[in-house]
Structure formats: C-alpha cells, structure tokens
Amino acid sequence: METKELLKKVKKIEIKTRRLSDHIFSGHYHTSFKGRGMTFSEVRQYQYGDDFRAIDWNVSARNNDAFVKIFEEERELTMMLVIDCSASQNFGTSAQNKKDMVTEIAATLAFSATQNNDKIGLVLFTNEIELYIPPKKGKSHVLRIIRELVEWQPKSKTTNVAFALEFLSSVIKKRAIVFLISDFMTAEFQKPLQIASKKHDVTGIRIFDSREKSLPNVGIIQMQDAETEQLIWLDTQTETTRLEYEKNYKTKVEICQNIFRKCAAGLVETETNESYVTKLVTYFKSRA
C-alpha cells in the first residue's frame, strides 16, 4: 500500500473510531475495567458518615481533632491487543472482511484506553508472533498500532492462539486488560488461556462471517482453506453436505465458547455484517 493511501485509510479509521470511543466506549470502558487497587491520596477532617476505620490516629492526636485517610483508585492500566492476522481474517462476504472489522474494534478500544491514560500494547500473531509492540501511552502510539494493523503483511498463514497466549504470559508480567481478537478456528488453547486468565483480565472477541456458518445451494463448487491452501470439491446441492458443514461449524463454535467459560474469561461474538458497537457496549454494561 502506498504511503498516501495508507495515511488516508488510517485517518478514516481514526475519525470513525475516535468518535465511537469519545461518545460511547470511554465511560463504559472506565467503569468495566478497574484499577489495580487503592492508593493513599490525602488526609482531611472527619465528616459525619465517614468510616471510623479510616481515621488516622497519629494525625488526629497531633491536631487534637479527628482526621481520616482518603484513598483513590490506582487507575492506570495496561491494555494488550492480541490479534490474529492469519489468512482466514481476509475472508468476508458483506461490506467488510474480518480484518477490517478487527482493525476498527482494536482502534476503538485503543482510543478508549488512551482517554483513561492507560498504556496500549499490540501482539500480532499467526502460528508465530508476527509483531510485538510494548505497551505505551499516547495518540501517536495508537496511530502506529493502527498503521501496523492496516499494512502488516504476515509471514505465515495459519493460526496458533495457544502460542500467542503463551507469549503474552511471558512478556507481560503485571496484570493487564487483554483483548484476544480472532475467529478462533484453531487448535486447542484452553490451558494457556487458563494461565493467562489467572494473571490478566482476558476478553475474547470472536469475529465471523455469515457465510462461514452455512453453505448456499449453488451446485458443485471448489473451496480452498485460506490457511492451509487445501482444495476440495463440494456438492452443495446435497442436503447432507450442507447439514454436515453447519454441524461442523457449530461444533467448533461450541468448543470455543466452552473454553472461555471454563477459563472464566469474557467472550464477545460479532458478525461482519453486525454492529460491533452494540455487542461491546452490552458486554461492558454486563461487567459494570
């Protein structure tokens, strides 16, 4: 992608996602994800209704009056965007493909975190770690993340969510808010998710396309797996074939849902022709 075209696309994404984060997400994000704890702020005179357990007896004795300690939430957090950039993300039959939606969601979340003065980091993965950007604050940092999401050309085509989670656990030592964004059409990843969820606040965002759920009746067609490049012929006129395809898809989705449930991690599922805004706001409200 040429520099001029890249900057134009990044700017378009910034305008749309900043508006969403300004008017919709920032408040929900702030209330949904809490700080690491409470830190001492100041002492002030005791007021009716204050908890007597907060009285600072040393200060009270020196001033011959009751004073209480005031604490504030330690708000600064770290958000990690762990994003699948394998070949299956290029699929889409509606107005946008999965990759476009992933980029928008990631940008919206990043700008929401920026408004709360949080750090944002990025992991792009396939079956290997394609790119790691350590957490940092600021608008210019978020714009760099968006640029990488738009123009990054993966070295590999396949997916390994387990490996990405293992990498995350090894590089991010302090508790972080983690958004793991993928279609989750991958091998088993329960154990590394369990480990990551005990350390971090993990939410999976599953992006999928309507055509992945079922096959239309269009006769005999050739299909190719985007990640393995395997070619197969399918007779979509046969009801058995269509039902088997749907059953296989549902099984994979149920496995994914069960993994997140067992690991006590959040999961948001959104289709490429749906409003991810509604899905994320609903999720944030459920956590508040």
Side-chain angles (χ1 to χ4, degrees), residues 51-282:
D51 188 343
F52 72 89
R53 291 172 295 184
I55 293 175
D56 187 320
W57 296 106
N58 291 329
V59 175
S60 299
R62 286 198 301 270
N63 290 275
N64 202 29
D65 199 356
F67 282 79
V68 293
K69 293 179 181 178
I70 303 300
F71 292 86
E72 291 180 347
E73 180 186 3
E74 189 181 355
R75 177 59 225 177
E76 184 179 295
L77 299 169
T78 295
M79 175 194 285
M80 288 301 301
L81 299 168
V82 184
I83 296 177
D84 177 359
C85 62
S86 62
S88 63
Q89 300 305 307
N90 296 318
F91 184 76
T93 57
S94 58
Q96 61 182 345
N97 59 31
K98 289 189 279 186
K99 181 183 176 181
D100 291 337
M101 178 174 267
V102 166
T103 301
E104 282 193 16
I105 291 173
T108 304
L109 292 170
F111 280 123
S112 297
T114 297
Q115 288 187 32
N116 285 278
N117 202 34
D118 294 342
K119 294 178 182 177
I120 304 104
L122 174 69
V123 176
L124 289 181
F125 72 93
T126 49
N127 66 335
E128 57 185 85
I129 302 305
E130 296 275 344
L131 176 68
Y132 170 55
I133 300 178
K136 193 177 174 182
K137 296 180 184 181
K139 177 186 171 183
S140 61
H141 181 67
V142 172
L143 291 177
R144 182 199 168 187
I145 286 174
I146 296 172
R147 282 196 302 272
E148 296 292 3
L149 286 167
V150 170
E151 70 170 351
W152 187 261
Q153 297 298 318
K155 301 177 187 71
S156 178
K157 292 186 176 183
T158 55
T159 313
N160 191 329
V161 171
F163 184 69
L165 287 166
E166 287 165 3
F167 175 81
L168 174 77
S169 295
S170 69
V171 296
I172 304 299
K173 301 302 181 185
K174 292 184 178 179
R175 184 172 177 80
I177 297 167
V178 177
F179 288 99
L180 176 59
I181 310 177
S182 174
D183 52 19
F184 295 104
M185 295 300 171
T186 181
E188 175 66 46
F189 59 94
Q190 182 171 325
K191 187 175 180 181
L193 179 60
Q194 207 160 28
I195 293 168
S197 296
K198 286 179 181 177
K199 186 176 180 181
H200 305 295
D201 187 337
V202 181
T203 297
I205 301 180
R206 188 177 76 85
I207 312 293
F208 62 98
D209 188 89
S210 60
R211 193 48 66 205
E212 292 175 316
K213 297 188 293 184
S214 61
L215 286 173
N217 185 349
V218 289
I220 299 173
I221 58 170
Q222 189 179 50
M223 298 181 69
Q224 183 178 40
D225 188 305
E227 298 192 5
T228 65
E229 297 186 343
Q230 180 184 359
L231 289 166
I232 59 168
W233 288 95
L234 280 180
D235 184 1
T236 62
Q237 295 177 102
T238 307
E239 186 179 10
T240 305
T241 300
R242 296 197 303 273
L243 290 174
E244 190 63 33
Y245 181 92
E246 289 178 29
K247 182 182 177 182
N248 183 53
Y249 176 82
K250 286 178 181 177
T251 299
K252 288 180 178 179
V253 171
E254 286 170 4
I255 289 171
C256 173
Q257 292 169 340
N258 287 334
I259 287 173
F260 276 90
R261 186 162 46 248
K262 288 176 182 176
C263 296
L267 180 64
V268 179
E269 299 174 289
T270 183
E271 199 171 320
T272 51
N273 61 0
E274 287 182 311
S275 168
Y276 64 83
V277 175
T278 304
K279 293 293 184 75
L280 287 175
V281 169
T282 301

